[in-house]
Every structure is written in structure tokens, then in C-alpha cells.
Amino acid sequence: MNARVDTPVLSQLSNRHLDALEEETIFILREVAAAFERPALLFSGGKDSLVMLRCAEKAFGAGRIPYPLLMIDTGHNFPEVTDFRDFRAQELGAELIVRSVEDSMARGTVRLAHAEEPRNAHQSVTLLEAIEEFRFDALIGGARRDEEKARAKERIFSHRDSFGQWQPKAQRPELWTLFNTRIAPGEHFRVFPISNWTELDVWQYIEREQIALPSLYYSHPRHIVERKGLLVPVTELTPPKDGETVVVRDVRFRTLGDITCTCPVESTAATAAEIVIETLAAEVSERGATRMDDKTSEASMEKRKKDGYF
């Protein structure tokens, strides 16, 4: 993915549809505030949650977002992202709650098969513990339907049973933006206000609104190794294996998560406008191109969602 800004293409690319997407997202964010007693907004410091946060700021005003921000930290997140998360929450005057997979490990509710096992899937346990601790009845997430097949099945208001599990065959109809928000004790909803956005929409919105992002989203030189068709960043958590050659490439991250399973793509795009042009030419979804944990099987995401994942 190597492209510089093509000014004629960018000038011909309409972004008028962003107003409708933004309006829908703001409506959903306000609907959650009205329909639930103890909602929270899942906030990682990544691009999708920052887009949601900008819409929440427009919906309620800075310092007036009516629900806390919640982050489930694996302990293996990029420091650039967690630092930006803290900065943005403080800048908005929003309450930030962080719960750690490492705390779940200390309690014995999460047990790794081995020390190098990725912790990403284990976030489900910590998330369900946080739901129980704060009695959240709705969690607002930044998942989009274009990311992955299982997420394409998701309703905007996605019901979870008393075990925190998702039943894809038992989802409620959503007609004419009428949402059934009734829940029994112990149940909750996952709400996805940007479900109908695409990766291109997100980057067009970031470019239009001039939303600040962690620097990892933009091109930078990084030591990587090629592994199973992916560019794996060389870090203390992801060292090169025997026989692998470490090289320096200009890369950026299309999505950001746990260091142990998140890979960059080769890119020279240094601005949101340049990423818009690159995204127009992308043939693989951002998770398909960058997430090792989604490569384990065709149904890996759906299985994790049934167990309580985001």
C-alpha cells in the first residue's frame, strides 16, 4: 500500500454521506443515554473509538458525556495508544475506567496456557467482570459491519444474555430505527453506533473533522519480519523466530490492539487524506490484513463473540 495524495481523486470523492452517518451515530448515542441506567462507552484510544468520542462530544458537549469510558487493557497494548487514551479522556473531562486482564490473571479467572499466549481473547473475561462490578446494562462499542463476517451479523443494539453471550440466531429486528431495549435482570446490550460506517467512511470523517490519532496510524519506519503473509512488528513481546530476517519498512497500522496479534501494513501515507486514497485501493479488510488472532479459523471472531467478546 504505497500511495501519495492524488488531488483530483480526493477532490472528486464526496463526503456528503458523512452527515447522515454522523446524525445516525449521534441519535444512537443519545438513545443509549435515554434508554439505559448504567451505560458505558468502550474506549481504547483507537481510531473507531475516537470517531465515536467525537460524535459523543457533538451529541452532549465536552465535559458532559453522560457515561464513563471503559477500557479493557491486556497489559500488552501499544504505549502510544494508552497514553493517547489518557490524554483524550482528560481533555474531554470524561470519566475513564480501566480494567486489566493482568488483574483477572491475578484473581485466577484468566489462566494462560503458556506465558507467550496472546491475551486478546481473554479480554472477554475481564469485560464480563467489569460489567458485573459496575452493573453496566449497555456497552457502546466501535465495531463496524465491514470489518469481519461475524460483525456483519450484529444488530446495532445487540442483546447479550445473563452469561454475557451473543446468540446470533436470537437477535431482535430493527425496523425504522426502532430499537427494542428491554432486558431482564443480569442481561445487557452491546450497542454499535458506527455499524453502518466503513473503513473509508472513518478515514474521510477523520480527515474532515481533523481528529487527532495516535501516531502509529501514520507511516513510520519499523523493524518487522514477514510471517504467514503478515508483517509482524519486532518487539520484546514479538521477537523474531529462528530463520526470520528482520528488515526496516515504512509501515502504518490500520487497526490497533494487543501487540502480540496486531500487524502493520506497508505504507507511506502520512496524513488522513493520503490514507483515504490508500483505503480506496484496499482489497482486504483491515482485520483480515492485520490481525493474527482472526487467522486461526473462519469462525474465530464469531466464537469469541459468543463467549462475550466485543
Tab-separated table of all heavy atoms in Angstrom, residues 4-54:
chain	number	residue	atom	x	y	z
A	4	ARG	N	0.685	8.359	-2.651
A	4	ARG	CA	0.673	9.736	-2.187
A	4	ARG	C	-0.691	10.313	-2.556
A	4	ARG	O	-1.457	9.723	-3.306
A	4	ARG	CB	1.791	10.548	-2.843
A	4	ARG	CG	3.167	9.912	-2.706
A	4	ARG	CD	3.575	9.608	-1.282
A	4	ARG	NE	3.719	10.809	-0.483
A	4	ARG	CZ	4.076	10.800	0.794
A	4	ARG	NH1	4.313	9.647	1.411
A	4	ARG	NH2	4.194	11.926	1.464
A	5	VAL	N	-1.015	11.467	-2.007
A	5	VAL	CA	-2.335	12.040	-2.246
A	5	VAL	C	-2.519	12.349	-3.719
A	5	VAL	O	-1.717	13.042	-4.332
A	5	VAL	CB	-2.529	13.330	-1.419
A	5	VAL	CG1	-3.812	14.034	-1.833
A	5	VAL	CG2	-2.572	12.994	0.045
A	6	ASP	N	-3.577	11.812	-4.307
A	6	ASP	CA	-3.973	12.113	-5.673
A	6	ASP	C	-5.034	13.201	-5.579
A	6	ASP	O	-6.210	12.935	-5.325
A	6	ASP	CB	-4.526	10.855	-6.345
A	6	ASP	CG	-4.802	11.069	-7.829
A	6	ASP	OD1	-5.118	12.210	-8.200
A	6	ASP	OD2	-4.718	10.091	-8.581
A	7	THR	N	-4.636	14.470	-5.768
A	7	THR	CA	-5.545	15.593	-5.535
A	7	THR	C	-6.816	15.514	-6.370
A	7	THR	O	-7.911	15.732	-5.841
A	7	THR	CB	-4.809	16.925	-5.797
A	7	THR	OG1	-3.658	16.980	-4.958
A	7	THR	CG2	-5.717	18.107	-5.507
A	8	PRO	N	-6.759	15.201	-7.689
A	8	PRO	CA	-8.001	15.107	-8.452
A	8	PRO	C	-8.959	14.052	-7.901
A	8	PRO	O	-10.166	14.277	-7.812
A	8	PRO	CB	-7.516	14.742	-9.865
A	8	PRO	CG	-6.120	15.255	-9.924
A	8	PRO	CD	-5.572	15.044	-8.546
A	9	VAL	N	-8.425	12.881	-7.495
A	9	VAL	CA	-9.286	11.834	-6.947
A	9	VAL	C	-9.920	12.292	-5.652
A	9	VAL	O	-11.123	12.140	-5.424
A	9	VAL	CB	-8.478	10.541	-6.720
A	9	VAL	CG1	-9.317	9.521	-5.948
A	9	VAL	CG2	-8.032	9.951	-8.043
A	10	LEU	N	-9.134	12.906	-4.761
A	10	LEU	CA	-9.637	13.337	-3.472
A	10	LEU	C	-10.697	14.417	-3.618
A	10	LEU	O	-11.703	14.426	-2.906
A	10	LEU	CB	-8.481	13.838	-2.603
A	10	LEU	CG	-8.730	13.897	-1.097
A	10	LEU	CD1	-9.077	12.513	-0.560
A	10	LEU	CD2	-7.520	14.458	-0.376
A	11	SER	N	-10.497	15.324	-4.552
A	11	SER	CA	-11.463	16.410	-4.745
A	11	SER	C	-12.776	15.907	-5.329
A	11	SER	O	-13.824	16.528	-5.134
A	11	SER	CB	-10.866	17.483	-5.667
A	11	SER	OG	-10.625	16.952	-6.966
A	12	GLN	N	-12.733	14.785	-6.047
A	12	GLN	CA	-13.957	14.223	-6.631
A	12	GLN	C	-14.681	13.266	-5.681
A	12	GLN	O	-15.795	12.841	-5.957
A	12	GLN	CB	-13.610	13.476	-7.925
A	12	GLN	CG	-13.090	14.364	-9.045
A	12	GLN	CD	-12.593	13.566	-10.237
A	12	GLN	OE1	-13.012	12.438	-10.456
A	12	GLN	NE2	-11.682	14.151	-10.993
A	13	LEU	N	-14.062	12.940	-4.552
A	13	LEU	CA	-14.636	11.979	-3.617
A	13	LEU	C	-15.602	12.702	-2.683
A	13	LEU	O	-15.202	13.546	-1.889
A	13	LEU	CB	-13.514	11.313	-2.807
A	13	LEU	CG	-13.920	10.155	-1.882
A	13	LEU	CD1	-14.513	9.012	-2.673
A	13	LEU	CD2	-12.720	9.686	-1.075
A	14	SER	N	-16.881	12.374	-2.799
A	14	SER	CA	-17.898	13.049	-1.992
A	14	SER	C	-17.843	12.568	-0.549
A	14	SER	O	-17.603	11.394	-0.279
A	14	SER	CB	-19.293	12.766	-2.561
A	14	SER	OG	-20.295	13.266	-1.692
A	15	ASN	N	-18.065	13.484	0.376
A	15	ASN	CA	-18.195	13.095	1.777
A	15	ASN	C	-19.517	13.582	2.369
A	15	ASN	O	-19.670	13.656	3.582
A	15	ASN	CB	-17.008	13.593	2.598
A	15	ASN	CG	-16.944	15.118	2.686
A	15	ASN	OD1	-17.835	15.822	2.207
A	15	ASN	ND2	-15.890	15.634	3.296
A	16	ARG	N	-20.475	13.886	1.490
A	16	ARG	CA	-21.773	14.369	1.976
A	16	ARG	C	-22.510	13.315	2.784
A	16	ARG	O	-23.303	13.648	3.663
A	16	ARG	CB	-22.634	14.835	0.798
A	16	ARG	CG	-22.149	16.145	0.159
A	16	ARG	CD	-23.013	16.548	-1.020
A	16	ARG	NE	-22.890	15.567	-2.108
A	16	ARG	CZ	-23.563	15.655	-3.255
A	16	ARG	NH1	-24.425	16.639	-3.444
A	16	ARG	NH2	-23.384	14.747	-4.194
A	17	HIS	N	-22.235	12.028	2.482
A	17	HIS	CA	-22.905	10.962	3.233
A	17	HIS	C	-22.464	10.920	4.685
A	17	HIS	O	-23.147	10.333	5.527
A	17	HIS	CB	-22.604	9.608	2.579
A	17	HIS	CG	-21.169	9.203	2.649
A	17	HIS	ND1	-20.159	9.868	1.987
A	17	HIS	CD2	-20.547	8.204	3.347
A	17	HIS	CE1	-19.008	9.313	2.246
A	17	HIS	NE2	-19.202	8.291	3.074
A	18	LEU	N	-21.326	11.553	5.004
A	18	LEU	CA	-20.840	11.542	6.375
A	18	LEU	C	-21.810	12.254	7.318
A	18	LEU	O	-21.900	11.902	8.493
A	18	LEU	CB	-19.467	12.202	6.454
A	18	LEU	CG	-18.320	11.510	5.701
A	18	LEU	CD1	-17.038	12.308	5.865
A	18	LEU	CD2	-18.134	10.079	6.183
A	19	ASP	N	-22.542	13.240	6.805
A	19	ASP	CA	-23.507	13.941	7.650
A	19	ASP	C	-24.599	12.985	8.122
A	19	ASP	O	-25.006	13.018	9.286
A	19	ASP	CB	-24.128	15.112	6.897
A	19	ASP	CG	-23.134	16.233	6.628
A	19	ASP	OD1	-22.182	16.377	7.424
A	19	ASP	OD2	-23.308	16.951	5.630
A	20	ALA	N	-25.067	12.115	7.213
A	20	ALA	CA	-26.110	11.153	7.580
A	20	ALA	C	-25.573	10.117	8.570
A	20	ALA	O	-26.262	9.746	9.530
A	20	ALA	CB	-26.660	10.458	6.329
A	21	LEU	N	-24.332	9.644	8.342
A	21	LEU	CA	-23.734	8.681	9.268
A	21	LEU	C	-23.532	9.309	10.642
A	21	LEU	O	-23.802	8.688	11.672
A	21	LEU	CB	-22.401	8.186	8.708
A	21	LEU	CG	-22.468	7.279	7.476
A	21	LEU	CD1	-21.068	7.029	6.922
A	21	LEU	CD2	-23.149	5.959	7.804
A	22	GLU	N	-23.038	10.527	10.672
A	22	GLU	CA	-22.834	11.227	11.941
A	22	GLU	C	-24.165	11.428	12.662
A	22	GLU	O	-24.261	11.200	13.879
A	22	GLU	CB	-22.170	12.571	11.687
A	22	GLU	CG	-21.925	13.393	12.948
A	22	GLU	CD	-21.451	14.795	12.618
A	22	GLU	OE1	-22.281	15.604	12.117
A	22	GLU	OE2	-20.257	15.085	12.854
A	23	GLU	N	-25.185	11.824	11.926
A	23	GLU	CA	-26.507	12.040	12.529
A	23	GLU	C	-27.056	10.753	13.138
A	23	GLU	O	-27.595	10.763	14.243
A	23	GLU	CB	-27.474	12.585	11.470
A	23	GLU	CG	-28.860	12.893	11.992
A	23	GLU	CD	-29.785	13.423	10.909
A	23	GLU	OE1	-29.297	13.763	9.818
A	23	GLU	OE2	-31.006	13.480	11.146
A	24	GLU	N	-26.886	9.623	12.414
A	24	GLU	CA	-27.350	8.337	12.936
A	24	GLU	C	-26.590	7.972	14.204
A	24	GLU	O	-27.184	7.517	15.200
A	24	GLU	CB	-27.156	7.243	11.884
A	24	GLU	CG	-27.565	5.862	12.370
A	24	GLU	CD	-27.230	4.767	11.374
A	24	GLU	OE1	-26.053	4.666	10.962
A	24	GLU	OE2	-28.143	4.003	11.000
A	25	THR	N	-25.275	8.170	14.205
A	25	THR	CA	-24.460	7.833	15.370
A	25	THR	C	-24.855	8.678	16.573
A	25	THR	O	-24.987	8.160	17.696
A	25	THR	CB	-22.970	8.024	15.036
A	25	THR	OG1	-22.611	7.140	13.969
A	25	THR	CG2	-22.094	7.730	16.239
A	26	ILE	N	-25.049	9.964	16.367
A	26	ILE	CA	-25.460	10.848	17.463
A	26	ILE	C	-26.821	10.429	18.003
A	26	ILE	O	-27.035	10.407	19.231
A	26	ILE	CB	-25.476	12.311	16.986
A	26	ILE	CG1	-24.036	12.799	16.777
A	26	ILE	CG2	-26.224	13.207	17.964
A	26	ILE	CD1	-23.928	14.174	16.147
A	27	PHE	N	-27.753	10.063	17.118
A	27	PHE	CA	-29.072	9.596	17.554
A	27	PHE	C	-28.944	8.363	18.446
A	27	PHE	O	-29.579	8.263	19.499
A	27	PHE	CB	-29.933	9.272	16.328
A	27	PHE	CG	-31.209	8.550	16.647
A	27	PHE	CD1	-32.289	9.221	17.185
A	27	PHE	CD2	-31.322	7.179	16.426
A	27	PHE	CE1	-33.470	8.556	17.493
A	27	PHE	CE2	-32.486	6.505	16.728
A	27	PHE	CZ	-33.573	7.186	17.268
A	28	ILE	N	-28.098	7.406	18.041
A	28	ILE	CA	-27.929	6.166	18.807
A	28	ILE	C	-27.280	6.452	20.158
A	28	ILE	O	-27.694	5.914	21.187
A	28	ILE	CB	-27.105	5.152	17.995
A	28	ILE	CG1	-27.894	4.704	16.756
A	28	ILE	CG2	-26.729	3.938	18.851
A	28	ILE	CD1	-27.058	3.975	15.722
A	29	LEU	N	-26.271	7.313	20.182
A	29	LEU	CA	-25.607	7.664	21.439
A	29	LEU	C	-26.591	8.310	22.409
A	29	LEU	O	-26.568	8.040	23.616
A	29	LEU	CB	-24.439	8.605	21.168
A	29	LEU	CG	-23.220	7.989	20.453
A	29	LEU	CD1	-22.261	9.075	20.005
A	29	LEU	CD2	-22.508	6.986	21.354
A	30	ARG	N	-27.475	9.150	21.899
A	30	ARG	CA	-28.483	9.770	22.753
A	30	ARG	C	-29.541	8.759	23.182
A	30	ARG	O	-30.043	8.814	24.318
A	30	ARG	CB	-29.128	10.945	22.019
A	30	ARG	CG	-28.202	12.150	21.868
A	30	ARG	CD	-28.811	13.224	20.987
A	30	ARG	NE	-27.996	14.449	20.982
A	30	ARG	CZ	-28.149	15.435	20.099
A	30	ARG	NH1	-29.086	15.335	19.148
A	30	ARG	NH2	-27.373	16.507	20.156
A	31	GLU	N	-29.875	7.835	22.290
A	31	GLU	CA	-30.861	6.801	22.616
A	31	GLU	C	-30.347	5.932	23.772
A	31	GLU	O	-31.119	5.563	24.665
A	31	GLU	CB	-31.127	5.936	21.381
A	31	GLU	CG	-32.226	4.909	21.543
A	31	GLU	CD	-33.616	5.488	21.468
A	31	GLU	OE1	-33.755	6.703	21.225
A	31	GLU	OE2	-34.581	4.729	21.659
A	32	VAL	N	-29.062	5.596	23.758
A	32	VAL	CA	-28.483	4.808	24.845
A	32	VAL	C	-28.596	5.564	26.163
A	32	VAL	O	-28.965	5.000	27.205
A	32	VAL	CB	-27.012	4.466	24.545
A	32	VAL	CG1	-26.341	3.832	25.753
A	32	VAL	CG2	-26.914	3.529	23.347
A	33	ALA	N	-28.268	6.848	26.141
A	33	ALA	CA	-28.345	7.653	27.362
A	33	ALA	C	-29.766	7.702	27.902
A	33	ALA	O	-29.972	7.731	29.127
A	33	ALA	CB	-27.837	9.068	27.083
A	34	ALA	N	-30.759	7.682	27.021
A	34	ALA	CA	-32.158	7.776	27.445
A	34	ALA	C	-32.729	6.438	27.892
A	34	ALA	O	-33.594	6.393	28.776
A	34	ALA	CB	-33.002	8.343	26.304
A	35	ALA	N	-32.250	5.330	27.280
A	35	ALA	CA	-32.901	4.029	27.481
A	35	ALA	C	-32.277	3.187	28.586
A	35	ALA	O	-32.923	2.257	29.086
A	35	ALA	CB	-32.889	3.238	26.167
A	36	PHE	N	-31.038	3.486	28.984
A	36	PHE	CA	-30.351	2.622	29.941
A	36	PHE	C	-29.937	3.405	31.179
A	36	PHE	O	-29.705	4.614	31.136
A	36	PHE	CB	-29.135	1.975	29.285
A	36	PHE	CG	-29.486	1.063	28.141
A	36	PHE	CD1	-29.450	1.522	26.832
A	36	PHE	CD2	-29.885	-0.244	28.370
A	36	PHE	CE1	-29.784	0.698	25.780
A	36	PHE	CE2	-30.222	-1.082	27.325
A	36	PHE	CZ	-30.181	-0.609	26.023
A	37	GLU	N	-29.825	2.687	32.283
A	37	GLU	CA	-29.469	3.321	33.559
A	37	GLU	C	-27.965	3.444	33.754
A	37	GLU	O	-27.481	4.437	34.302
A	37	GLU	CB	-30.056	2.512	34.717
A	37	GLU	CG	-31.573	2.522	34.785
A	37	GLU	CD	-32.084	1.770	35.993
A	37	GLU	OE1	-31.273	1.478	36.894
A	37	GLU	OE2	-33.282	1.474	36.025
A	38	ARG	N	-27.207	2.421	33.304
A	38	ARG	CA	-25.767	2.395	33.579
A	38	ARG	C	-24.992	1.992	32.319
A	38	ARG	O	-24.363	0.932	32.278
A	38	ARG	CB	-25.469	1.427	34.732
A	38	ARG	CG	-26.005	1.888	36.086
A	38	ARG	CD	-25.816	0.834	37.152
A	38	ARG	NE	-26.572	-0.370	36.844
A	38	ARG	CZ	-27.859	-0.532	37.120
A	38	ARG	NH1	-28.536	0.432	37.716
A	38	ARG	NH2	-28.493	-1.648	36.813
A	39	PRO	N	-24.998	2.833	31.304
A	39	PRO	CA	-24.212	2.530	30.105
A	39	PRO	C	-22.754	2.958	30.258
A	39	PRO	O	-22.402	3.711	31.172
A	39	PRO	CB	-24.914	3.364	29.016
A	39	PRO	CG	-25.455	4.544	29.765
A	39	PRO	CD	-25.809	4.048	31.150
A	40	ALA	N	-21.914	2.455	29.375
A	40	ALA	CA	-20.514	2.877	29.297
A	40	ALA	C	-20.079	2.820	27.849
A	40	ALA	O	-20.620	2.037	27.054
A	40	ALA	CB	-19.617	1.985	30.154
A	41	LEU	N	-19.107	3.640	27.499
A	41	LEU	CA	-18.577	3.672	26.139
A	41	LEU	C	-17.209	3.006	26.142
A	41	LEU	O	-16.299	3.449	26.854
A	41	LEU	CB	-18.485	5.116	25.635
A	41	LEU	CG	-18.174	5.319	24.152
A	41	LEU	CD1	-18.797	6.629	23.658
A	41	LEU	CD2	-16.669	5.362	23.884
A	42	LEU	N	-17.063	1.923	25.377
A	42	LEU	CA	-15.784	1.227	25.273
A	42	LEU	C	-14.802	2.109	24.510
A	42	LEU	O	-15.055	2.497	23.365
A	42	LEU	CB	-15.967	-0.114	24.559
A	42	LEU	CG	-16.786	-1.159	25.322
A	42	LEU	CD1	-17.142	-2.327	24.416
A	42	LEU	CD2	-16.028	-1.654	26.551
A	43	PHE	N	-13.693	2.443	25.152
A	43	PHE	CA	-12.762	3.412	24.586
A	43	PHE	C	-11.335	2.889	24.698
A	43	PHE	O	-10.787	2.767	25.797
A	43	PHE	CB	-12.884	4.743	25.328
A	43	PHE	CG	-11.965	5.813	24.812
A	43	PHE	CD1	-12.054	6.244	23.502
A	43	PHE	CD2	-11.008	6.378	25.639
A	43	PHE	CE1	-11.202	7.233	23.018
A	43	PHE	CE2	-10.151	7.363	25.174
A	43	PHE	CZ	-10.252	7.789	23.860
A	44	SER	N	-10.742	2.587	23.556
A	44	SER	CA	-9.390	2.033	23.532
A	44	SER	C	-8.330	3.068	23.192
A	44	SER	O	-7.136	2.830	23.390
A	44	SER	CB	-9.314	0.907	22.498
A	44	SER	OG	-9.505	1.435	21.187
A	45	GLY	N	-8.754	4.207	22.640
A	45	GLY	CA	-7.802	5.168	22.107
A	45	GLY	C	-7.523	4.934	20.641
A	45	GLY	O	-6.697	5.633	20.044
A	46	GLY	N	-8.219	3.940	20.029
A	46	GLY	CA	-8.080	3.660	18.604
A	46	GLY	C	-8.980	4.550	17.764
A	46	GLY	O	-9.824	5.293	18.276
A	47	LYS	N	-8.820	4.469	16.448
A	47	LYS	CA	-9.490	5.411	15.547
A	47	LYS	C	-11.008	5.329	15.625
A	47	LYS	O	-11.704	6.355	15.594
A	47	LYS	CB	-9.012	5.200	14.107
A	47	LYS	CG	-9.479	3.918	13.439
A	47	LYS	CD	-8.952	3.805	12.030
A	47	LYS	CE	-9.601	2.659	11.260
A	47	LYS	NZ	-9.516	1.359	11.963
A	48	ASP	N	-11.568	4.110	15.709
A	48	ASP	CA	-13.026	3.978	15.724
A	48	ASP	C	-13.615	4.545	17.017
A	48	ASP	O	-14.643	5.225	16.995
A	48	ASP	CB	-13.420	2.505	15.565
A	48	ASP	CG	-13.008	1.939	14.218
A	48	ASP	OD1	-13.214	2.626	13.208
A	48	ASP	OD2	-12.482	0.821	14.171
A	49	SER	N	-12.961	4.285	18.149
A	49	SER	CA	-13.479	4.827	19.397
A	49	SER	C	-13.277	6.338	19.459
A	49	SER	O	-14.073	7.046	20.085
A	49	SER	CB	-12.839	4.139	20.607
A	49	SER	OG	-11.443	4.287	20.615
A	50	LEU	N	-12.255	6.862	18.784
A	50	LEU	CA	-12.064	8.307	18.742
A	50	LEU	C	-13.102	8.982	17.857
A	50	LEU	O	-13.546	10.099	18.150
A	50	LEU	CB	-10.650	8.633	18.267
A	50	LEU	CG	-9.562	8.378	19.318
A	50	LEU	CD1	-8.181	8.315	18.685
A	50	LEU	CD2	-9.599	9.455	20.397
A	51	VAL	N	-13.515	8.297	16.789
A	51	VAL	CA	-14.620	8.806	15.969
A	51	VAL	C	-15.905	8.832	16.790
A	51	VAL	O	-16.664	9.812	16.772
A	51	VAL	CB	-14.787	7.954	14.698
A	51	VAL	CG1	-16.157	8.194	14.043
A	51	VAL	CG2	-13.682	8.272	13.702
A	52	MET	N	-16.180	7.746	17.527
A	52	MET	CA	-17.369	7.727	18.383
A	52	MET	C	-17.315	8.824	19.428
A	52	MET	O	-18.333	9.453	19.748
A	52	MET	CB	-17.514	6.370	19.072
A	52	MET	CG	-18.120	5.298	18.216
A	52	MET	SD	-18.867	4.021	19.226
A	52	MET	CE	-17.531	3.596	20.323
A	53	LEU	N	-16.121	9.046	19.984
A	53	LEU	CA	-15.975	10.071	21.011
A	53	LEU	C	-16.247	11.461	20.429
A	53	LEU	O	-16.838	12.311	21.102
A	53	LEU	CB	-14.575	10.001	21.613
A	53	LEU	CG	-14.401	10.580	23.015
A	53	LEU	CD1	-15.328	9.891	24.004
A	53	LEU	CD2	-12.959	10.432	23.468
A	54	ARG	N	-15.814	11.705	19.192
A	54	ARG	CA	-16.115	12.992	18.553
A	54	ARG	C	-17.629	13.153	18.385
A	54	ARG	O	-18.180	14.233	18.647
A	54	ARG	CB	-15.413	13.093	17.193
A	54	ARG	CG	-15.807	14.307	16.341
A	54	ARG	CD	-15.582	15.639	17.048
A	54	ARG	NE	-14.198	15.806	17.432
A	54	ARG	CZ	-13.254	16.320	16.632
A	54	ARG	NH1	-13.566	16.742	15.418
A	54	ARG	NH2	-12.014	16.434	17.058
